[in-house]
Amino acid sequence: MLGATACPLIMHKAGNLTPARLSRQAISTGCLSGALRQRQGIICSATRPKIGYIQDLTAWDVKMNNQLPQRLLLVLLALLFCQWLLAWYWVPVDAAQGEAYRIIYLHVPAAFAAFLSAGVLLVASIMALRSKGEQWLQLSRASTEVGLIFTILTLATGSIWGKPIWGTWWTWDARLTTTFLLSLMYGGWLLLYGAIPQGPSRTRSCSILGLMIAADVPIIYKSVTWWRTLHQPQTILRSGGSTMDPDMLKVLLAGIFIMAATSLCMIFSRRETLLLEQELEERSLGGMS
Amino acid sequence: MNNMFGEATDPMPYMWASYALGFLFIFGYSFWLFRGRKRVESYLNALKRTNSK
């Protein structure tokens, strides 16, 4: 239980912010560790009646004002919806697959976004291994979360697309299996991060797994040429140019660009929040020493 | 439309299901990001208000 509820001095000093409300806010934030909550219980003892130990809140104001990724994300979500409208109503129907092919405008951009997240994870993992910095690990965590979202979306939309075209929801095809492996590794990264306490060991373990995740991306990409698969071969980035209709290709490339930018904004927006949460926690605990 | 086995299928429900899922994942995650950020900010502001009293 948060200690603020048991602290009459806080109730007196906090004005319209009642302890119950503060408790609810702190608990609902969901970002504070049990350790911090326990500490707050101690802070609210008679020796520390105010939460006055937190210093340098101005520096946090600067960080809180860095809302560029979030604002960009809003713009990109609007653009993404416009691209979907074009995909539904403007591009011509495919002669072979009919309306079902329109799933490509969601499936392929989502796959590229998942690969881009793995690219960011690769850079962040290398930097985390080199510098042992927690900041890079938070970038890894953000890119893993976003990568997992887009990988699951890729698998789900591919499965839905496969049913009317292939006649099956799933097959252990090389492309599908390696992508499924990617989603498992993304999930495993998050489990590993949660299982190890903060420190060099967590940074090293998560970074090594991050490198392994990034290594899976070229295998996924080349799987359709290395093995005989049910999945269609490369359509856009192939020697001799794309075989798609120019109108179809334009909307697809726009979708890839918008989805890639959206994933980057999601990653950096999430990283900002993670760093803010971590700093809040560290400074709060540091103030007790 | 027929699939590769010659079975007749209506592709429209599959297409809309895909986009509904895409909307749920992308816009849902974005909403969760905005909400998380707002909560951290409100917590910090609560601490600041308490601190300044």
Side-chain angles (χ1 to χ4, degrees):
Chain A
M1 193 181 105
L2 196 72
T5 49
C7 179
L9 283 168
I10 285 283
M11 196 179 288
H12 174 69
K13 297 278 186 185
N16 60 354
L17 184 73
T18 64
R21 193 176 162 197
L22 186 64
S23 306
R24 277 198 303 274
Q25 267 182 320
I27 291 165
S28 65
T29 303
C31 62
L32 303 176
S33 71
L36 175 56
R37 288 174 188 171
Q38 282 177 348
R39 288 281 187 166
Q40 280 180 324
I42 298 165
I43 289 156
C44 291
S45 66
T47 52
R48 285 183 185 267
K50 285 173 69 178
I51 312 178
Y53 64 93
I54 294 178
Q55 303 295 319
D56 198 18
L57 282 171
T58 321
W60 287 352
D61 284 342
V62 176
K63 286 185 180 175
M64 282 165 65
N65 286 333
N66 185 13
Q67 294 189 337
L68 185 66
Q70 286 196 317
R71 285 173 187 162
L72 259 176
L73 183 57
L74 276 177
V75 175
L76 286 164
L77 288 176
L79 281 176
L80 188 66
F81 193 71
C82 292
Q83 186 256 338
W84 286 3
L85 288 176
L86 286 176
W88 296 337
Y89 301 115
W90 186 70
V91 288
V93 180
D94 184 67
Q97 295 191 19
E99 298 286 349
Y101 102 98
R102 293 186 198 276
I103 296 173
I104 198 174
Y105 299 106
L106 174 61
H107 176 73
V108 174
F112 269 87
F115 295 166
L116 185 65
S117 302
V120 175
L121 179 61
L122 172 69
V123 174
S125 298
I126 291 170
M127 293 308 292
L129 278 175
R130 282 169 63 101
S131 67
K132 313 274 187 243
E134 192 68 21
Q135 282 200 341
W136 290 106
L137 192 63
Q138 294 308 321
L139 181 61
S140 298
R141 185 179 164 188
S143 57
T144 305
E145 282 181 10
V146 174
L148 180 63
I149 293 280
F150 281 106
T151 309
I152 292 173
L153 185 61
T154 306
L155 286 171
T157 53
S159 178
I160 294 171
W161 194 4
K163 182 61 182 164
I165 303 303
W166 295 342
T168 181
W169 295 103
W170 182 263
T171 177
W172 292 103
D173 172 276
R175 171 64 67 90
L176 275 64
T177 307
T178 47
T179 309
F180 180 63
L181 197 64
L182 181 69
S183 71
L184 285 184
M185 288 201 290
Y186 272 138
W189 193 101
L190 292 172
L191 287 176
L192 188 68
Y193 178 89
I196 305 175
Q198 184 179 344
S201 172
R202 182 172 76 175
T203 306
R204 193 172 52 250
S205 307
C206 289
S207 300
I208 290 169
L209 183 55
L211 296 177
M212 289 166 68
I213 291 170
D216 188 35
V217 171
I219 298 172
I220 295 171
Y221 187 72
K222 295 300 284 182
S223 60
V224 287
T225 50
W226 287 346
W227 296 286
R228 287 182 62 185
T229 64
L230 187 59
H231 195 281
Q232 68 181 63
Q234 289 159 12
T235 312
I236 306 166
L237 302 172
R238 51 178 285 168
S239 57
S242 172
T243 54
M244 284 184 81
D245 176 86
D247 283 343
M248 292 177 176
L249 188 63
K250 269 184 241 168
V251 177
L252 182 58
L253 289 176
I256 290 170
F257 177 77
I258 294 167
M259 198 81 93
T262 304
S263 66
L264 281 180
C265 280
M266 283 176 170
I267 289 170
F268 284 99
S269 176
R270 179 71 179 134
R271 176 181 167 269
E272 291 287 323
T273 307
L274 285 172
L275 287 175
L276 211 56
E277 286 172 1
Q278 195 179 39
E279 191 159 338
L280 171 66
E281 192 166 333
E282 281 174 0
R283 283 181 183 235
S284 303
L285 293 171
M288 289 301 296
S289 58
Chain B
M1 190 202 77
N2 294 340
N3 66 17
M4 61 192 289
F5 301 105
E7 298 163 343
T9 52
D10 177 14
M12 292 307 280
Y14 296 100
M15 193 197 92
W16 291 120
S18 289
Y19 279 94
L21 207 62
F23 186 87
L24 194 73
F25 272 64
I26 296 169
F27 288 80
Y29 184 69
S30 302
F31 173 74
W32 183 79
L33 281 179
F34 291 132
R35 192 166 139 267
R37 172 73 177 222
K38 208 165 178 59
R39 282 190 170 183
V40 176
E41 284 180 8
S42 69
Y43 182 69
L44 283 171
N45 288 333
L47 284 179
K48 277 173 68 181
R49 277 201 302 273
T50 312
N51 197 40
S52 63
K53 296 276 180 181

